[in-house]
Amino acid sequence: MVVLDALNYIKAEIDGSLTYRWSCRMGVCGSCGANIDGEPKLTCASFLHDFKGRTITVEPMTNFPVIKDLVVDMEDFMEKLVKIKPWIIREKETAPEQGEYKQSVQQLERYSQFSSCINCMLCYAACPIYGLNEKFLGPAATALAYRYIEDSRDQGKDVRFPIVHEMEGAWECTLVGECSVVCPKGVDPMLAIQKTKILGATNAIKSLLMPRGGR
Amino acid sequence: MEDNERYTMYMVREWTSLFVALYSLIFIYGLSLWAMGSRADFLNFLKNPAIVGFSLIALVFTMYHAATWFYLLGAIAPVKIGRSRTKPWQALVLNLILLVIVSYLAIWLLVLR
Amino acid sequence: MKAETHKVARLHAMLWGIFSLGGMIAAFLLPVLIYMTAIAYPFSLWPFSGSRDPSFLVTGHLLGALFIFVTIAGSLYHGIFRFQSALTEVGLLKYRRALEAVGYFIIFVGIIVLAYYLVTWYLNGTIR
């Protein structure tokens, strides 16, 4: 049994007004994020036997405004996801008759880890920088942007770099690492942010040394 | 904060930077005693118990910085070996060994030769 | 969706790059320097158990002077950069601009002073 089952029980038998998000109950939809004893976790992935004998506290995820009970306002997060343009951007689309954009296994491996994000927002709940500065782009959005930057089919670097490389982009991150600790899908957003920073630093140096040429 | 213990460790890690910066400033101050006085002033400064005490604390924090830095290197730049990737603790061990080698080389090249 | 302008923080990117380099320097070079000045010399241990002392690092060879410069400058930069970000995290975010100004000023002065001493010593023959 998981914490989500306990919440459903409470809603069914004790207090019908208890309000919370859930859907797939198997850790793929990203709906049921909450703070369980202070740790951002998916309620459907938190087994009650791990809390044997203890009373646990379930709270809405940190760093988000609360709408009701465990339901938080996702507006800021949704804006950030859209901001980084999470779709393949091509300079020129090829006609469908020409077939798919081919990609090797090695090319896929460069970004597939970062495409596992289920938008559960646990990483934002865990990030103290986001807690201090709401303007920070944050783990999931930066990881998603990096996912597209690294996708060989994508040609949208010019569009995405300014977004991730502005001050409130990757630069705010100070490698706390909590985002990667709490991520239920092993996305490792900390790694994505670091790689984004390295891209930014090398680009900046390149633009210094080769103002007209280097990309 | 969600997990106080991990966050405290993160804060300690970040605040080691204060000692790194302070040691550097104190070292520059020591050199200034030499520049504006004599070499002996610099050497006496190094032997001053307060300076030795502070430096030892700075060394502990610098080593903590080095260890956490090596671990982070392992986390953000894993090396692919076949199908698997290196783990952060492996980078930590490898780089600590490298640190010992580099330190020995530095002493050999700069003092003993 | 309203149009947004995003400005690449190119200067900050470069400053971060230097900070990373400083972190490598502080991790690999600073420990041995502190060992030499705070343990080996005060307690007469290897390699300063004889007549040599840490001033030899500066006077002995240009390489030693370079080592001092790189290690201290790199560590100073890294330490200040990181400490200033740590300060903004303990609630001083609104003073960020001021903290950065003070921080970079300290770095600038420290490195200039260090370079000045070493260059002067090189020019007057103190460094061989």
Side-chain angles (χ1 to χ4, degrees), chain A residues 37-40 62 109 113 125-126 128-129 174-176 178 181-182 188 190-191 194-195 198, chain B residues 1-4 6-7 10-11 13-14 69 71-78 80 82-83 85:
Chain A
D37 276 349
E39 283 254 1
T62 339
E109 277 174 3
Q113 173 186 358
I129 308 300
T174 58
L175 274 183
V176 180
E178 282 296 293
V181 171
V182 302
D188 200 354
M190 179 192 85
L191 179 61
Q194 289 321 110
K195 286 183 182 278
I198 292 169
Chain B
M1 259 319 115
E2 350 48 62
D3 187 14
N4 266 316
R6 289 202 301 265
Y7 189 64
Y10 161 74
M11 273 304 184
R13 186 193 89 194
E14 293 301 288
W69 187 262
Y71 186 87
L72 282 173
L73 284 181
I76 68 177
K80 259 187 108 171
R83 297 215 107 232
R85 286 148 95 182

Coordinates of all heavy atoms in Angstrom, one line a residue, chain A residues 37-40 62 109 113 125-126 128-129 174-176 178 181-182 188 190-191 194-195 198, chain B residues 1-4 6-7 10-11 13-14 69 71-78 80 82-83 85:
Chain A
D37 N 6.9 13.8 5.1 CA 7.9 14.1 6.1 C 9.0 15.0 5.6 O 10.2 14.7 5.8 CB 8.5 12.7 6.6 CG 7.6 12.1 7.7 OD1 6.7 12.8 8.2 OD2 7.8 11.0 8.1
G38 N 8.6 16.0 4.9 CA 9.6 17.0 4.4 C 10.3 16.6 3.1 O 10.9 17.5 2.5
E39 N 10.1 15.4 2.6 CA 10.8 15.1 1.3 C 9.8 15.1 0.2 O 8.7 14.4 0.3 CB 11.3 13.6 1.4 CG 12.5 13.5 2.2 CD 13.7 13.2 1.4 OE1 13.7 13.2 0.1 OE2 14.8 13.1 2.0
P40 N 10.1 15.7 -0.9 CA 9.2 15.7 -2.1 C 9.2 14.3 -2.7 O 10.2 13.7 -3.0 CB 9.9 16.7 -3.1 CG 10.8 17.5 -2.2 CD 11.2 16.6 -1.1
T62 N 6.7 21.9 -1.5 CA 7.3 23.2 -1.1 C 7.5 24.1 -2.3 O 7.5 23.6 -3.4 CB 8.7 23.0 -0.5 OG1 8.9 21.7 -0.1 CG2 9.0 24.0 0.6
E109 N 21.2 8.3 -27.3 CA 21.7 8.2 -25.9 C 22.2 9.5 -25.4 O 22.2 9.7 -24.2 CB 22.8 7.2 -25.9 CG 22.3 5.8 -25.8 CD 23.5 4.7 -25.9 OE1 24.6 5.1 -26.0 OE2 23.1 3.5 -25.9
Q113 N 18.0 10.1 -21.6 CA 17.8 10.2 -20.1 C 17.0 11.4 -19.8 O 16.1 11.3 -18.9 CB 19.2 10.3 -19.5 CG 19.1 10.5 -18.0 CD 20.5 10.7 -17.4 OE1 21.5 10.7 -18.2 NE2 20.6 11.0 -16.1
A125 N 10.2 21.4 -6.0 CA 9.9 21.4 -4.5 C 11.2 21.3 -3.8 O 11.4 21.8 -2.7 CB 8.9 20.3 -4.2
A126 N 12.2 20.5 -4.3 CA 13.4 20.2 -3.6 C 14.5 21.3 -3.8 O 15.4 21.3 -3.0 CB 14.0 18.9 -4.1
P128 N 16.3 24.6 -3.3 CA 16.3 25.7 -2.5 C 16.5 27.0 -3.2 O 16.0 28.1 -2.8 CB 17.5 25.5 -1.5 CG 18.3 24.5 -2.1 CD 17.5 23.7 -3.1
I129 N 17.2 26.9 -4.4 CA 17.4 28.1 -5.2 C 16.0 28.6 -5.8 O 15.7 29.8 -5.7 CB 18.3 27.9 -6.3 CG1 19.6 27.3 -5.8 CG2 18.6 29.1 -7.1 CD1 20.4 28.1 -4.8
T174 N 23.4 26.3 -8.1 CA 24.7 26.2 -7.4 C 25.0 24.8 -7.0 O 25.7 24.5 -6.0 CB 24.7 27.1 -6.1 OG1 23.6 26.7 -5.3 CG2 24.6 28.5 -6.4
L175 N 24.4 23.8 -7.8 CA 24.8 22.4 -7.6 C 24.4 21.9 -6.2 O 25.1 21.1 -5.7 CB 26.3 22.2 -7.8 CG 26.8 22.0 -9.2 CD1 28.3 21.7 -9.2 CD2 26.1 20.8 -9.8
V176 N 23.2 22.3 -5.8 CA 22.8 21.7 -4.5 C 22.6 20.2 -4.7 O 23.0 19.3 -3.9 CB 21.5 22.3 -4.0 CG1 21.0 21.7 -2.7 CG2 21.6 23.8 -3.9
E178 N 19.8 18.5 -5.0 CA 18.6 17.8 -4.5 C 17.6 17.4 -5.6 O 16.9 16.4 -5.4 CB 17.8 18.8 -3.5 CG 18.5 18.9 -2.2 CD 18.4 17.6 -1.4 OE1 17.3 17.1 -1.1 OE2 19.5 17.0 -1.2
V181 N 18.3 14.1 -6.6 CA 18.1 13.1 -5.6 C 16.6 12.7 -5.5 O 16.2 11.5 -5.4 CB 18.5 13.7 -4.2 CG1 18.1 12.8 -3.1 CG2 20.0 13.8 -4.1
V182 N 15.7 13.7 -5.7 CA 14.3 13.4 -5.6 C 13.6 12.9 -6.8 O 12.5 12.5 -6.8 CB 13.5 14.6 -5.0 CG1 14.0 15.0 -3.6 CG2 13.5 15.8 -5.9
D188 N 18.1 13.1 -13.7 CA 19.3 13.8 -13.3 C 19.4 15.2 -13.9 O 20.3 15.5 -14.7 CB 20.5 13.0 -13.7 CG 21.8 13.4 -12.9 OD1 21.7 14.3 -12.1 OD2 22.8 12.7 -13.1
M190 N 20.3 17.9 -12.5 CA 21.5 18.6 -12.1 C 22.6 18.4 -13.2 O 23.3 19.3 -13.5 CB 22.0 18.0 -10.8 CG 23.3 18.7 -10.3 SD 24.1 17.8 -9.0 CE 25.1 16.6 -9.9
L191 N 22.7 17.2 -13.7 CA 23.6 16.9 -14.8 C 23.3 17.8 -16.0 O 24.2 18.3 -16.6 CB 23.6 15.4 -15.1 CG 24.5 14.9 -16.2 CD1 25.9 15.2 -15.9 CD2 24.3 13.5 -16.5
Q194 N 24.3 21.4 -15.4 CA 25.8 21.5 -15.5 C 26.2 21.5 -16.9 O 27.1 22.3 -17.3 CB 26.5 20.4 -14.7 CG 26.3 20.6 -13.2 CD 26.4 22.0 -12.8 OE1 25.4 22.7 -12.4 NE2 27.5 22.6 -12.9
K195 N 25.7 20.6 -17.7 CA 26.1 20.5 -19.1 C 25.7 21.7 -19.8 O 26.4 22.2 -20.7 CB 25.6 19.2 -19.7 CG 26.2 18.0 -19.3 CD 25.7 16.8 -20.0 CE 26.3 15.5 -19.6 NZ 27.6 15.2 -20.2
I198 N 28.2 24.4 -19.0 CA 29.5 24.2 -19.7 C 29.3 24.6 -21.2 O 30.2 25.3 -21.7 CB 29.9 22.7 -19.6 CG1 30.3 22.3 -18.2 CG2 31.1 22.4 -20.6 CD1 30.5 20.9 -18.0
Chain B
M1 N 13.1 23.5 5.0 CA 13.9 22.7 4.0 C 13.5 21.2 4.1 O 13.2 20.7 5.2 CB 15.3 22.8 4.3 CG 16.1 23.8 3.4 SD 15.6 23.7 1.7 CE 14.8 25.3 1.5
E2 N 13.5 20.6 2.9 CA 13.0 19.2 2.9 C 13.9 18.2 3.8 O 13.4 17.7 4.7 CB 12.9 18.6 1.5 CG 13.1 19.4 0.3 CD 14.3 20.4 0.2 OE1 15.4 20.0 0.3 OE2 14.0 21.6 0.1
D3 N 15.1 18.1 3.4 CA 16.0 17.2 4.2 C 17.1 18.0 4.8 O 18.1 18.4 4.1 CB 16.5 16.1 3.3 CG 17.3 15.1 4.2 OD1 17.1 15.1 5.4 OD2 18.0 14.2 3.6
N4 N 16.9 18.3 6.1 CA 17.8 19.3 6.7 C 19.3 18.8 6.7 O 20.2 19.6 6.5 CB 17.4 19.5 8.2 CG 16.5 20.7 8.2 OD1 16.9 21.7 7.6 ND2 15.4 20.6 8.9
R6 N 20.9 16.9 4.5 CA 21.6 17.0 3.2 C 21.8 18.5 2.9 O 22.8 18.9 2.4 CB 20.8 16.4 2.1 CG 20.8 14.9 2.2 CD 20.4 14.3 0.8 NE 19.1 14.7 0.3 CZ 18.0 14.0 0.4 NH1 18.0 12.8 1.1 NH2 16.9 14.4 -0.1
Y7 N 20.8 19.3 3.3 CA 21.0 20.8 3.0 C 22.1 21.3 3.9 O 22.9 22.2 3.4 CB 19.7 21.5 3.3 CG 19.7 22.9 2.8 CD1 19.8 23.2 1.5 CD2 19.6 24.0 3.7 CE1 19.9 24.5 1.0 CE2 19.7 25.3 3.3 CZ 19.8 25.6 1.9 OH 19.8 26.9 1.5
Y10 N 25.3 20.5 2.3 CA 25.5 21.4 1.1 C 26.0 22.8 1.6 O 26.9 23.3 1.0 CB 24.2 21.6 0.4 CG 24.2 22.8 -0.5 CD1 24.9 22.8 -1.7 CD2 23.4 23.9 -0.2 CE1 24.9 23.9 -2.6 CE2 23.4 25.0 -1.0 CZ 24.1 25.0 -2.2 OH 24.1 26.1 -3.0
M11 N 25.4 23.3 2.7 CA 25.9 24.6 3.2 C 27.3 24.6 3.6 O 28.1 25.5 3.4 CB 25.0 25.1 4.3 CG 23.7 25.8 3.9 SD 24.2 27.2 2.9 CE 22.6 28.0 2.6
R13 N 29.6 22.6 2.6 CA 30.4 22.5 1.3 C 30.6 23.9 0.7 O 31.7 24.2 0.3 CB 29.6 21.6 0.3 CG 30.4 21.3 -0.9 CD 29.5 20.7 -2.0 NE 28.9 21.7 -2.8 CZ 27.9 21.5 -3.6 NH1 27.4 20.3 -3.7 NH2 27.4 22.4 -4.4
E14 N 29.5 24.7 0.7 CA 29.6 26.0 0.1 C 30.5 26.9 0.9 O 31.3 27.7 0.4 CB 28.3 26.6 -0.2 CG 27.4 25.9 -1.2 CD 28.1 25.9 -2.6 OE1 28.2 26.9 -3.3 OE2 28.6 24.8 -3.0
W69 N 34.4 18.4 -4.6 CA 34.6 18.8 -6.0 C 34.9 17.6 -6.8 O 34.3 17.4 -7.9 CB 35.8 19.7 -6.0 CG 36.1 20.4 -7.4 CD1 36.9 20.0 -8.3 CD2 35.4 21.5 -7.9 NE1 36.9 20.8 -9.4 CE2 35.9 21.8 -9.2 CE3 34.4 22.4 -7.4 CZ2 35.5 22.9 -10.0 CZ3 34.0 23.4 -8.2 CH2 34.6 23.7 -9.4
Y71 N 33.9 14.5 -6.2 CA 32.7 13.8 -6.3 C 31.8 14.4 -7.3 O 31.1 13.7 -8.1 CB 32.0 13.8 -4.9 CG 30.8 12.9 -4.9 CD1 30.9 11.5 -4.6 CD2 29.5 13.4 -5.1 CE1 29.8 10.7 -4.5 CE2 28.4 12.6 -5.1 CZ 28.5 11.2 -4.8 OH 27.4 10.4 -4.7
L72 N 31.7 15.7 -7.3 CA 30.8 16.4 -8.3 C 31.3 16.2 -9.7 O 30.5 16.0 -10.6 CB 30.8 17.9 -8.0 CG 29.8 18.3 -6.8 CD1 30.0 19.8 -6.5 CD2 28.4 18.0 -7.2
L73 N 32.7 16.2 -9.9 CA 33.2 15.9 -11.2 C 32.7 14.6 -11.7 O 32.3 14.4 -12.9 CB 34.7 15.9 -11.2 CG 35.5 17.3 -11.1 CD1 37.0 17.0 -11.1 CD2 35.1 18.1 -12.3
G74 N 32.7 13.6 -10.8 CA 32.2 12.3 -11.1 C 30.8 12.3 -11.5 O 30.3 11.5 -12.3
A75 N 30.0 13.2 -10.8 CA 28.6 13.2 -11.1 C 28.2 13.9 -12.4 O 27.3 13.5 -13.1 CB 27.8 13.9 -9.9
I76 N 29.0 14.9 -12.8 CA 28.6 15.6 -14.0 C 29.4 15.2 -15.2 O 29.1 15.6 -16.3 CB 28.8 17.2 -13.8 CG1 30.2 17.6 -13.6 CG2 28.0 17.7 -12.6 CD1 30.4 19.1 -13.5
A77 N 30.5 14.5 -15.0 CA 31.2 14.0 -16.2 C 31.6 12.5 -16.1 O 32.7 12.2 -16.0 CB 32.5 14.9 -16.3
P78 N 30.6 11.7 -16.1 CA 30.9 10.3 -16.0 C 31.5 9.8 -17.3 O 31.2 10.3 -18.3 CB 29.5 9.6 -15.8 CG 28.5 10.6 -16.3 CD 29.1 12.0 -16.2
K80 N 32.2 6.9 -19.9 CA 31.6 5.6 -20.4 C 32.6 4.5 -20.6 O 33.6 4.7 -21.4 CB 30.8 5.9 -21.7 CG 29.4 6.1 -21.5 CD 28.6 6.1 -22.8 CE 27.9 4.9 -23.1 NZ 27.0 4.9 -24.2
G82 N 32.5 0.9 -21.9 CA 31.6 -0.1 -22.5 C 30.2 0.3 -22.3 O 29.8 1.3 -22.9
R83 N 29.4 -0.5 -21.6 CA 27.9 -0.1 -21.5 C 27.7 0.7 -20.2 O 26.7 1.3 -20.0 CB 27.1 -1.4 -21.5 CG 27.2 -2.1 -22.8 CD 25.8 -2.8 -23.1 NE 25.2 -2.1 -24.2 CZ 23.9 -1.6 -24.2 NH1 23.2 -1.8 -23.1 NH2 23.4 -1.0 -25.2
R85 N 28.7 3.4 -16.9 CA 29.3 4.6 -16.6 C 30.0 4.6 -15.3 O 29.5 3.9 -14.4 CB 28.3 5.8 -16.7 CG 27.8 6.1 -18.1 CD 26.4 6.5 -18.1 NE 26.3 7.9 -18.0 CZ 25.1 8.6 -18.0 NH1 24.0 8.0 -17.9 NH2 25.1 9.9 -17.9

